Amino acid sequence: MRRLLFVVLLLTAVLLFASVEDSIVQVGRTLEKNGIKEVRYAVWGSGDPNSVLRVLGIVEAARRINDIWAKNKINVKVIIRETRYELDFTQMYQEFLSKQPLGTAGDFLVNSYVYIAPLAEEGYLLDLTPYLEKHKELLEDFFASHIEVAKYKGKIYGLPQDTEARPFYIRKDIAAKVGLDLQGLDQKVLKGEFTWFDVYEWAKKTVQLGASQWGLIHRRGTAHPDLMQFILVFGSKLYDPADGKLVFDKEAIYKWLTIEWVFAREKLLPSDMMAWDWAKQVHPAIVDGKTLFDIGGTWYWTEWQTKDYYTDPKTGQMRGLKPEEVEQWFYYTLFPVGEPGKKPVTLSQPFMWMVSSKAGAQNPKYSALKSTYDELAFLIAAKASDPEINAIHSIISAHLPVGKASAALLANKEWLDKLYNLELDLDPSVKEKIAGIVKATVNPINAKFLSDVSYMLEHTNFPPIHPMYAKLAAIFAEVVDQVLRGQMDPAKAIDYAIGKINADLDLKASVKIINEIPKDWRFPAK
Amino acid sequence: MIKEGTSRKWELWAFLAPALVVVVIFYVVPLILTVYTSFTPIRNWNIQRYATKWIGLYNYQKLFHAIANDPSVRAVFLTTAVFVGCTLLVNVLGGLILALLTFFVGKRTNSVASTIWLLPRMSPIAVYGLVWYYFFHGSGIGTLNSLFLKLGLIDKPIAWGQAFIPYGPWSVIIFVNGLVGVSFGMIVLSSAIKSIPSEFVIAARVDGATDWQICKRILIPQIKWHIMYVTTWQLLSLLTSYAHTYLLVSWRLVNKTYGTPWALYVYDLAFTGVFDQGLAAAAGTLLVLVGGLLGFMTLRILGFGKLMVEPRGDI
């Protein structure tokens, strides 16, 4: 039955993409007629070390387009002249921003959807709406919520590349030591029966008993996006679509900061957490079992397998975890509710294939052929969204698929075996570059993990698409850091943040401040 | 026939022209562009869209509103004053002391010491920053913490750049930038001391003068113009310097609020968050005005006018 479903989905996908192929052929003929032999593009991507298909996907898409042209005897080739992949996606965005006006940025940018707002506002991105109207079938495979977040002022500026959930990881061996029963805990979290008050009690017990050094570890550097979940699990929001304003909810933010304050003061969470180093401190602390809880992301699951974060007690050497070890040590749930009666959440920050509004500017006859170069760039992004490319990316980087066809592929053992043996029809350079990651990550344990966490998407939220969000997020990062270090108590931090919002006239006009600091709320309860 | 006066004028311009061209291209034009930008809404590098839009004094209104209402912007002011004042003192006094010390020690020791003090200036900024990052790191991996823990001076690691607000972050940025500037003062003042005719020092020695008396009565008075130059130059450099501090703040070694001088604040406005380059230009213009005023005051206080008086010709 599953195989039949797979065949049907694959056939559907083939039929759906037929019209995209027609456009590819048409564009190829136009280029050939104008004497163009080669079209060169550059792709810039960023993210965790295993998400290299964010750039290699474009390379593979170019090969598929070249194959289509060759089959139709069109003598034109797409060459991806630059594939740039870096770990820091904010830095990559900043560089794109500075170089796009000069025409020297990548033609494709693979980055968080939150950057669509500022980039589209400035006219730096190609509006994909007209092409997607022509190829409506492309949209049908994507999950609708992910297309919604690719929109800015009603127009679509990106094709979803991946999404993720942010599981709340619990170390199983430490939980066993302190008596935390994990049987059915994910359901308790789902029902809102396991709250941050419980997280605190268990973290405290763990540290007091010496079962681990810390009770909780979370991200470093910025509050966006992981820590924003605190605002959501206290029943609030970051954005009000009714008036298009960002929301600063004093009550929810006070409760979030109080948790940070209490955890840090009781040494359950490092007070210098925001200054920790990802590779030297954050991940090693988690995989070495120095914390009971961790606010993380799905991609951690395979990153722990491919990066040498774990110090093997037998050899004293650092190595990646085996899939069996990850499965044996880590339990995962949604982000627990802040207090009874609220809803648990997760948070997604889908990455998008975005196309520069100057895509192909470095090719011959650019002014005359701009519309053709634009359409070709869109078609490359569309081909990079082929279910197979998306499914490979999902399994090797532990991100969740953005379409139904790719989700179906992940459930197909035959396809997974082919991928493991690299028997899929992929560009040799792509195969070579992902071979190591594929061997380390393509296995039933990781496929099961993706399947297990996919329910979290039903509870997911997206950070707001607002040009001023970056400013607000920077203020959050600053106050979290100061609260953790004990330089400001939560109430003072709220005043400080509001002071900063009001001191910035642009931000003040974009943010509405609601509610008050609760007077009768205590954390911990006793 | 060309008159003599006209000829002299042409000669004067011919000599001045290359320097003037450089000054105009690299100093005057950027200054004009900065001031112009401050009256536009340029952001996100979108010069094409915003460069011709005129918003009057709105950026200055935003800036002064922030100065009046944002506690961290007020902290930036205070940090700038303390950072520039203290680092300048370290730079000039440190440079002077080193120059005097190297004068009195042997030639070989002198060159070794000079090279060591030049290291901060010779090292790439990121490498130099990284050295101090690990030195002051707030955990047990920090050199200073590790040393103090071993000596039993502290019982747990201290986040030096994040603790004892505001003195902790101020101390770290003054220390790190101070070391870079000291070498500049040392080179200029050492060269100045070397140019003093040795007869003065020999004669003083014959008369029984101590080292201190030689410093006070001969060396320092003879190099006062050089000290003035180092002071003015370093003052203006410090007002606009942010590279080392930027790294220490972005690595979160140093508290952001009390580790951000005005130049770094300008950088943050222009190149982080919403990339408000118009507002950054307004903040930059303010910095230029303050820098110009302080430079003028320094030259007046240190007697620049006297330096420029034509020599009387008598010996």
Side-chain angles (χ1 to χ4, degrees), chain A residues 341-492:
Chain A
K342 301 293 190 311
K343 287 180 180 167
V345 298
T346 193
L347 192 133
S348 302
Q349 179 177 232
F351 265 52
M352 298 280 166
W353 305 109
M354 294 175 235
V355 180
S356 165
S357 57
K358 289 181 179 168
Q362 297 188 6
N363 286 296
K365 299 183 184 174
Y366 175 69
S367 305
L369 293 172
K370 184 181 182 327
S371 61
T372 311
Y373 287 131
D374 284 348
E375 187 172 1
L376 179 57
F378 162 76
L379 291 167
I380 294 172
K383 285 304 283 175
S385 305
D386 274 0
E388 197 170 65
I389 299 176
N390 188 238
I392 298 171
H393 168 70
S394 297
I395 184 84
I396 67 173
S397 69
H399 282 88
L400 298 174
V402 287
K404 300 164 199 110
S406 42
L409 279 175
L410 289 175
N412 185 289
K413 190 179 176 309
E414 200 180 320
W415 181 83
L416 285 173
D417 288 344
K418 274 190 174 177
L419 171 61
Y420 183 80
N421 295 315
L422 289 170
E423 287 164 0
L424 298 177
D425 180 26
L426 294 171
D427 188 89
S429 69
V430 174
K431 267 190 191 178
E432 191 193 321
K433 282 174 185 156
I434 63 170
I437 309 174
V438 164
K439 291 290 170 205
T441 57
V442 178
N443 56 62
I445 291 173
N446 293 345
K448 181 177 176 297
F449 169 72
L450 287 182
S451 159
D452 284 354
V453 294
S454 58
Y455 82 95
M456 292 184 181
L457 289 185
E458 292 165 29
H459 307 273
T460 200
N461 293 267
F462 302 98
I465 302 186
H466 193 290
M468 287 291 147
Y469 173 62
K471 273 192 177 181
L472 187 62
I475 294 175
F476 283 138
E478 199 179 332
V479 294
V480 168
D481 191 28
Q482 302 211 32
V483 164
L484 284 173
R485 290 179 189 279
Q487 290 161 358
M488 277 180 191
D489 64 31
K492 199 176 166 198

Side-chain angles (χ1 to χ4, degrees), chain B residues 12 20 24 33 60 82 88 118 123 125 134-135 162 176 186 193 236 248 265-267 281 283-284 295 303:
Chain B
L12 190 68
L20 278 177
V24 167
L33 285 177
Y60 290 93
V82 173
L88 185 65
L118 276 174
S123 315
I125 291 172
Y134 283 112
F135 185 82
Q162 296 278 0
V176 172
M186 181 189 75
I193 290 172
L236 299 180
L248 300 179
Y265 175 67
V266 173
Y267 174 91

Side-chain angles (χ1 to χ4, degrees), chain B residues 277-289:
Chain B
Q277 281 124 6
L279 180 59
T285 303
L286 193 66
L287 185 64
V288 170
L289 287 174

Side-chain angles (χ1 to χ4, degrees), chain A residues 93-94 97-99 101 118 120-124 220-222 267 272 274-277 280-281 358 467-471 477-478 481-482 485 487 496 499-500 502-506 508, chain B residues 43-50 58 61-62 65-67 69-73 133-134 137-139 141 156 159 162-163 165 250-253 255-257 271-276 279:
Chain A
Y93 157 72
Q94 290 176 353
L97 196 65
S98 65
K99 293 195 171 158
E121 180 69 33
E122 301 304 339
Y124 292 168
R220 52 139 292 146
T222 65
K267 301 193 186 334
D272 59 348
M274 298 296 269
W276 273 33
D277 185 284
K280 287 181 185 154
Q281 292 175 285
K358 289 181 179 168
M468 287 291 147
Y469 173 62
K471 273 192 177 181
E478 199 179 332
D481 191 28
Q482 302 211 32
R485 290 179 189 279
Q487 290 161 358
Y496 178 81
K500 283 196 75 84
N502 288 330
D504 183 323
L505 291 176
D506 292 339
K508 189 180 177 185
Chain B
R43 62 171 184 265
N44 291 326
W45 298 93
N46 208 339
I47 294 165
Q48 204 175 352
R49 178 180 290 180
Y50 302 117
Y58 182 60
Q61 189 192 340
K62 281 201 290 185
H65 183 79
I67 293 170
N69 296 289
D70 189 337
S72 54
V73 178
Y133 172 75
Y134 283 112
H137 199 278
S139 73
I141 64 167
K156 60 177 184 180
Q162 296 278 0
I165 300 290
S250 62
W251 291 336
R252 291 190 184 271
L253 182 81
N255 174 277
K256 187 175 166 64
T257 310
F271 306 121
T272 62
V274 295
F275 293 77
D276 197 338
L279 180 59

Side-chain angles (χ1 to χ4, degrees), chain B residues 169-189:
Chain B
W170 284 350
S171 305
V172 174
I173 60 172
I174 289 166
F175 182 83
V176 172
N177 284 279
L179 282 186
V180 180
V182 160
S183 61
F184 174 75
M186 181 189 75
I187 291 172
V188 174
L189 301 178

